[in-house]
Amino acid sequence: MSKKLLIAIDPGFDAMKVIANGIHFKFPFSAVETDERKMSDYGGRKEFILYKDRSGATWRVGQYARTLMYENKSQQDDPTAKLYTEERFISPEATVGILSAIAKAIDLTGLYNEQADLDIRLIVALPHSVRNKYAPTVAGLVSGAQRFYMTFDDGEEKEYRFNIVEQNVLTVSQTIAAILGETSDDNGYIDESKYHYLANGPTLVVDGGYYTMGLVPVSRGGSVDDDHAESNTNYAMKNVNLGVAKEIADTRPDIKHYSVEYLLSQGESEIRYMDKGQNKVVSIDLSVIREKKLQNVCNNFIRYLNKKYNDLIDFRYVLVTGGTGAAFFSQLLAYYKGTGVMDEAHMLLTHPVLSGNELPIEFSVVTGAYKGLRGKLGED
């Protein structure tokens, strides 16, 4: 008898968030093709992920791929130029990243030896504005018979062979998934205690990520107003980091936006440069600069919301989700409380919960996608 593996994936611009049979994990959504014969740090370290296809081509995935990008930060071409576009979801990097996530899910759920008969059901969350455009391509990339090799951490290389029926690959809007995550129970059914967010709207969902700021109005009763929805790329964390990089460009032109994110994610907020006039080393605290830039970008975002949505006066609720949404939330709430438009009961930060456990806010979208997948399949 085949065993079922339910996998939800949110391939965000910063990290690949995954829930598989109730187990959640994430890794940076980065993939770089490499020649492992020339690498001196092969394996043996935490968070190491190596993908190898049947031809022998290898890709570093996750944190080690991001480290390679940082180490090559001085090169003229931006290694993330293609990565931080919506077309990434149909790229070879996306295929490698998603297949790596599925392999990790198979391991963590203890189903490695069941691959031949594994019934895999997959749902992938995509930006609201491009979900319909890219859904067929994404399904085609990962469906069918798969065979590849993975190395995780300091483990041995292992072969992965499984089949995913194309009809079992679903997609969902990331923002719709965020709504599902906040308003439904573990099985994808509406939670009566939170139904008012949909029934008593209108509600604006603000889904802030690294590259995009998803804005989706939901009318009273729960229908999405696509005419006024968008995936905005001017007020996300990338824009904050671009501001940091611009401020230090005269002294450290090699530190680009992705380097800012990498360094801060590693807990390395201090960088140095040589002050030629004083002939001594000067330190710069990236975290202080980023906090200032974050406030500036959030102020600009508030002005944009006010212009686009008439100062939010027609919304009863605002649901804020995502990592950048969480970073903006206190400033958003303070401003809209000050105007009298919102209060703590009507502007809310999402809290993803699965099996009674609250997950970090960056899992809001994938939690909703997983719940939606269970609901679609009628899982108990």
Side-chain angles (χ1 to χ4, degrees), residues 112-233:
Y112 180 79
N113 294 323
E114 311 290 338
Q115 292 181 70
D117 299 313
L118 203 53
D119 179 10
I120 298 177
R121 307 299 179 98
L122 175 67
I123 188 166
V124 180
L126 299 173
H128 185 82
S129 63
V130 297
R131 180 245 172 165
N132 292 335
K133 178 180 179 181
Y134 291 139
T137 306
V138 169
L141 287 175
V142 297
S143 61
Q146 303 292 341
R147 181 184 178 189
F148 56 93
Y149 306 85
M150 298 295 307
T151 304
F152 291 109
D153 300 317
D154 57 355
E156 297 293 323
E157 179 181 279
K158 294 197 298 186
E159 181 183 32
Y160 291 81
R161 299 184 71 169
F162 54 83
N163 182 70
I164 305 179
V165 177
E166 186 167 1
Q167 287 77 10
N168 292 342
V169 181
L170 307 175
T171 61
V172 63
S173 151
Q174 290 172 345
T175 313
I176 298 302
I179 298 171
L180 282 173
E182 189 65 16
T183 60
S184 61
D185 63 17
D186 286 352
N187 298 315
Y189 301 113
I190 291 296
D191 182 340
E192 294 298 330
S193 67
K194 296 183 177 181
Y195 181 60
H196 58 278
Y197 296 147
L198 301 178
N200 298 331
T203 297
L204 177 65
V205 180
V206 177
D207 178 17
Y210 186 79
Y211 179 72
T212 62
M213 182 66 72
L215 301 171
V216 177
V218 181
S219 65
R220 189 187 304 270
S223 61
V224 172
D225 181 1
D226 278 321
D227 290 339
H228 295 93
E230 66 171 297
S231 291
N232 188 288
T233 58

Side-chain angles (χ1 to χ4, degrees), residues 182-183 194-206 216 218 220 305 311-321 329 332-350:
E182 189 65 16
T183 60
K194 296 183 177 181
Y195 181 60
H196 58 278
Y197 296 147
L198 301 178
N200 298 331
T203 297
L204 177 65
V205 180
V206 177
V216 177
V218 181
R220 189 187 304 270
L305 286 177
D311 298 293
L312 304 189
I313 59 175
D314 294 321
F315 292 106
R316 185 175 178 85
Y317 295 102
V318 176
L319 294 182
V320 181
T321 190
F329 182 72
L332 290 171
L333 180 59
Y335 173 83
Y336 286 106
K337 277 184 66 177
T339 65
V341 172
M342 292 285 160
D343 57 25
E344 291 91 341
H346 294 83
M347 177 170 278
L348 304 106
L349 189 64
T350 61

Side-chain angles (χ1 to χ4, degrees), residues 300-314:
N300 292 335
F301 179 55
I302 288 170
R303 283 193 284 269
Y304 181 77
L305 286 177
N306 289 343
K307 181 177 180 180
K308 183 176 178 66
Y309 295 118
N310 193 27
D311 298 293
L312 304 189
I313 59 175
D314 294 321

Side-chain angles (χ1 to χ4, degrees), residues 28-282:
F29 189 2
S30 299
V32 177
E33 191 168 5
T34 60
D35 184 348
E36 290 299 313
R37 297 170 300 178
K38 299 178 180 179
M39 310 300 282
S40 61
D41 63 343
Y42 185 82
R45 288 196 276 178
K46 185 181 179 182
E47 298 182 339
F48 182 82
I49 304 175
L50 182 70
Y51 169 96
K52 184 171 79 174
D53 68 18
R54 280 178 285 182
S55 73
T58 54
W59 294 72
R60 292 283 180 98
V61 180
Q63 189 60 45
Y64 274 56
R66 188 160 289 179
T67 298
L68 284 179
M69 291 180 182
Y70 175 71
E71 290 174 348
N72 296 325
K73 64 183 180 300
S74 297
Q75 66 186 33
Q76 184 174 3
D77 295 333
D78 182 351
T80 68
K82 183 172 65 173
L83 187 67
Y84 291 115
T85 68
E86 289 173 337
E87 291 186 358
R88 71 182 302 198
F89 298 107
I90 57 173
S91 68
E93 289 83 357
T95 305
V96 169
I98 292 173
L99 290 178
S100 298
I102 295 172
K104 187 74 171 177
I106 289 172
D107 278 6
L108 292 178
T109 54
L111 295 172
Y112 180 79
N113 294 323
E114 311 290 338
Q115 292 181 70
D117 299 313
L118 203 53
D119 179 10
I120 298 177
R121 307 299 179 98
L122 175 67
I123 188 166
V124 180
L126 299 173
H128 185 82
S129 63
V130 297
R131 180 245 172 165
N132 292 335
K133 178 180 179 181
Y134 291 139
T137 306
V138 169
L141 287 175
V142 297
S143 61
Q146 303 292 341
R147 181 184 178 189
F148 56 93
Y149 306 85
M150 298 295 307
T151 304
F152 291 109
D153 300 317
D154 57 355
E156 297 293 323
E157 179 181 279
K158 294 197 298 186
E159 181 183 32
Y160 291 81
R161 299 184 71 169
F162 54 83
N163 182 70
I164 305 179
V165 177
E166 186 167 1
Q167 287 77 10
N168 292 342
V169 181
L170 307 175
T171 61
V172 63
S173 151
Q174 290 172 345
T175 313
I176 298 302
I179 298 171
L180 282 173
E182 189 65 16
T183 60
S184 61
D185 63 17
D186 286 352
N187 298 315
Y189 301 113
I190 291 296
D191 182 340
E192 294 298 330
S193 67
K194 296 183 177 181
Y195 181 60
H196 58 278
Y197 296 147
L198 301 178
N200 298 331
T203 297
L204 177 65
V205 180
V206 177
D207 178 17
Y210 186 79
Y211 179 72
T212 62
M213 182 66 72
L215 301 171
V216 177
V218 181
S219 65
R220 189 187 304 270
S223 61
V224 172
D225 181 1
D226 278 321
D227 290 339
H228 295 93
E230 66 171 297
S231 291
N232 188 288
T233 58
N234 296 320
Y235 307 104
M237 191 58 70
K238 178 184 176 182
N239 305 96
V240 175
N241 289 344
L242 282 169
V244 176
K246 183 177 180 180
E247 181 157 324
I248 65 174
D250 290 341
T251 54
R252 289 299 302 267
D254 59 319
I255 303 295
K256 306 296 194 298
H257 71 91
Y258 56 90
S259 299
V260 173
E261 189 65 25
Y262 173 81
L263 288 168
L264 291 176
S265 72
Q266 298 298 297
E268 301 175 21
S269 63
E270 184 179 284
I271 61 171
R272 304 190 301 170
Y273 70 95
M274 179 61 73
D275 187 320
K276 300 297 185 181
Q278 300 183 64
N279 195 34
K280 69 176 184 178
V281 171
V282 177

